[in-house]
Amino acid sequence: MSEAKGVGGIDPRATPGSAGAGERPPMGTVSRAGDGELYAPMPSKHMVINLGPSHPAMHGVTRAVVELNGEIIEEMKLDIGFLHRGFEKSCENVTWGQVFPYTDRLNYVSSIMNNVGFALAVEKLAKLEIPERARYLRVITSEIHRICDHLTLVGAMAMELGAMTVFLYGIEARDLLWDRLAELCGARLTSNYARIGGVARDMPEGWQEKTLKVLDRVVAIREEIGQLLNRNRIFIDRCLNTGKVSREDALELGFTGPCLRASGEPYDIRKAAPYLVYDRLDFDIPVGSNGDNFDRYLMRMEEMRQSDKIIRQCFEQMAPGEIIVQDFRYALPPKPLVYGTIEGVMAHFKLVMEGIKVPAGEVYSYTEAANGELGFYVVSDGGGRPYKLGLRAPGWPMLAALPVMTKGSLLSDLIPTFDSINMIGGEVEQ
């Protein structure tokens, strides 16, 4: 990362006046090439403008109310809009198993990671050990979705800065991965794969080989995206030294995930508190030093490389076996047992009609989602529904910090900064 990041300051081919040719003007000042007595003063006035919600660079229903002095942002307020899904209360009114479709839509670009996060919380409460093959399958699908999430961010960030080709490349790679997930779990976007006690189904025949071929293609596309952006003067000028957050400020603001690591803090839950089979896998945690938009872009590029490495290791290590627990208090019995025995019929009927019964208690379970720490706080009274469910949405702390990150910067810096924090509307509302 340090090599690529240094390009902005040492490139002898940099366009005069760009970041690569010298230092960027300090935040809060507007420089004008050739300022002098021949130029008339440029008058400016205090303005309040709405950026969004119907703006191509605003995500979903989000609106930024920006106070400007010329092109400098003096203050900004965020309105996350009226997407309100009532996620937590909705989950408290359905059975434990029926919560999964709600989790799919938290971060709809990496939905299986949300499935897995909720399943781990319930299993922690029920003290349920899941089969080893199911652990590997959860890691494989989660890391595929991490790549999808990062491809979406990099593609959209580049597109909103004018690089449409990069977006098309990113979408091609993401679609290939979504095709594999559709073969595995039946849905491209709202993939619903994890179950309490394991996963919904095993890999279809030939899926592993096909997925490895797709990963090879994704590697080629990712490298091409890197070649298009890493030395691109426009992209570097818009991202380098914009939206900077120091390590201390990132910790103070509650950052997690790639945004925290881009600021220099090497915190990753997969290493700090390993779950599933992450403690058996060899992978690195990339860390930035500048904490700006360019570092956050580089962080996603490197994390895609590491996810690719993780998936290939899982395919090598996993062995045949069960994919869900054989405890029929938590998992549906196999169909031959349902059709052939009264015990199977009764277990199937009670699970479908009443849902599972989770022992009374409370837990907080957290996983490393694509954009940070995804946490579920779950309380059970021993019944068939969550008594209380709380969510720690990964994107919320970074979104809440956006006014701090952009204060004193140019209005144009707001676009890459908003892109690089990976705000997802479906998870930030509660």
Side-chain angles (χ1 to χ4, degrees):
M1 287 190 62
S2 56
E3 183 184 353
K5 192 169 55 184
V7 166
I10 60 173
D11 190 353
R13 293 170 296 175
T15 307
S18 72
E23 292 297 321
R24 185 182 177 82
M27 294 287 186
T29 65
V30 180
S31 68
R32 182 178 171 185
D35 272 350
E37 59 183 7
L38 298 181
Y39 288 91
M42 185 181 293
S44 63
K45 62 180 181 180
H46 186 267
M47 288 189 298
V48 177
I49 65 166
N50 283 302
L51 196 70
S54 298
H55 186 283
M58 282 288 117
H59 301 184
V61 292
T62 307
R63 177 173 66 114
V65 183
V66 189
E67 291 185 34
L68 291 173
N69 181 11
E71 291 190 55
I72 303 296
I73 298 174
E74 290 194 332
E75 294 290 341
M76 187 179 73
K77 292 180 182 174
L78 273 173
D79 181 355
I80 63 171
F82 291 94
L83 189 64
H84 309 319
R85 299 164 51 227
F87 170 78
E88 294 176 352
K89 295 309 291 181
S90 297
C91 294
E92 291 163 17
N93 286 288
V94 294
T95 66
W96 294 94
Q98 290 170 339
V99 170
F100 283 106
Y102 290 99
T103 64
D104 296 344
R105 291 148 179 84
L106 289 174
N107 183 343
Y108 30 80
V109 189
S110 51
S111 48
I112 288 181
M113 304 183 95
N114 308 319
N115 289 174
V116 170
F118 175 70
L120 285 171
V122 178
E123 288 156 7
K124 188 176 180 181
L125 194 55
K127 298 182 173 55
L128 202 58
E129 288 289 329
I130 69 167
E132 188 163 294
R133 186 173 177 82
R135 296 174 184 226
Y136 278 104
L137 287 169
R138 284 183 179 182
V139 171
I140 290 169
T141 49
S142 293
E143 295 303 322
I144 288 177
H145 253 159
R146 190 184 309 278
I147 296 175
C148 293
D149 199 293
H150 289 353
L151 282 170
T152 307
L153 182 141
V154 170
M157 186 175 175
M159 177 184 67
E160 289 168 10
L161 298 182
M164 185 69 186
T165 304
V166 173
F167 178 73
L168 296 176
Y169 285 174
I171 293 303
E172 180 196 341
R174 193 184 72 175
D175 262 29
L176 290 171
L177 292 168
W178 276 3
D179 285 347
R180 301 291 78 74
L181 291 173
E183 290 169 354
L184 188 64
C185 54
R188 285 167 56 79
L189 186 64
T190 52
S191 308
N192 194 312
Y193 186 56
R195 296 289 183 274
I196 295 166
V199 294
R201 57 186 65 85
D202 208 340
M203 295 187 295
E205 190 176 349
W207 189 82
Q208 178 176 328
E209 294 74 18
K210 203 185 284 186
T211 302
L212 288 171
K213 287 182 182 176
V214 164
L215 288 175
D216 292 339
R217 175 64 183 148
V218 171
V219 168
I221 293 174
R222 191 188 64 228
E223 294 304 317
E224 197 153 358
I225 290 174
Q227 290 170 9
L228 287 169
L229 293 181
N230 286 357
R231 298 184 67 82
N232 185 302
R233 294 262 44 93
I234 297 172
F235 188 73
I236 291 174
D237 284 1
R238 297 290 301 274
C239 296
L240 196 66
N241 287 331
T242 60
K244 279 184 76 168
V245 181
S246 67
R247 175 179 172 275
E248 293 73 21
D249 287 344
L251 290 168
E252 186 73 21
L253 291 164
F255 280 23
T256 54
C259 292
L260 176 63
R261 295 190 285 275
S263 296
E265 178 62 34
Y267 175 70
D268 188 309
I269 296 165
R270 294 173 296 175
K271 289 283 190 184
Y275 53 96
L276 296 173
V277 293
Y278 281 110
D279 55 343
R280 305 177 195 175
L281 303 169
D282 175 31
F283 64 101
D284 299 322
I285 303 299
V287 179
S289 57
N290 206 26
D292 58 7
N293 291 322
F294 199 58
D295 263 11
R296 289 192 280 274
Y297 152 72
L298 291 174
M299 193 63 53
R300 267 66 178 218
M301 295 295 281
E302 183 56 34
E303 288 196 1
M304 281 193 274
R305 290 189 188 91
Q306 298 303 322
S307 292
D308 180 279
K309 192 175 171 184
I310 289 172
I311 295 167
R312 293 174 192 273
Q313 288 179 69
C314 286
F315 280 138
E316 290 171 3
Q317 293 182 15
M318 66 191 298
E322 299 288 347
I323 57 159
I324 196 163
V325 293
Q326 296 302 301
D327 185 338
F328 302 142
R329 293 174 302 165
Y330 296 104
L332 289 172
K335 283 293 182 286
L337 203 61
V338 176
Y339 296 145
T341 66
I342 187 63
E343 292 80 7
V345 173
M346 289 175 64
H348 188 277
F349 178 82
K350 288 183 74 65
L351 280 176
V352 170
M353 299 304 294
E354 301 173 5
I356 67 171
K357 298 288 191 298
V358 175
E362 59 180 326
V363 296
Y364 177 73
S365 177
Y366 53 111
T367 55
E368 185 70 35
N371 52 347
E373 178 179 329
L374 172 68
F376 286 96
Y377 169 66
V378 183
V379 181
S380 173
D381 61 358
R385 299 178 178 183
Y387 177 77
K388 180 76 186 80
L389 189 146
L391 172 74
R392 186 206 186 274
W396 174 248
M398 282 76 84
L399 180 67
L402 194 62
V404 178
M405 296 168 71
T406 55
K407 187 171 184 176
S409 62
L410 292 168
L411 177 62
S412 58
D413 294 341
L414 174 58
I415 305 304
T417 306
F418 188 54
D419 286 330
S420 71
I421 62 171
N422 199 6
M423 171 266 180
I424 302 289
E427 67 180 18
V428 298
E429 62 82 22
Q430 302 292 313

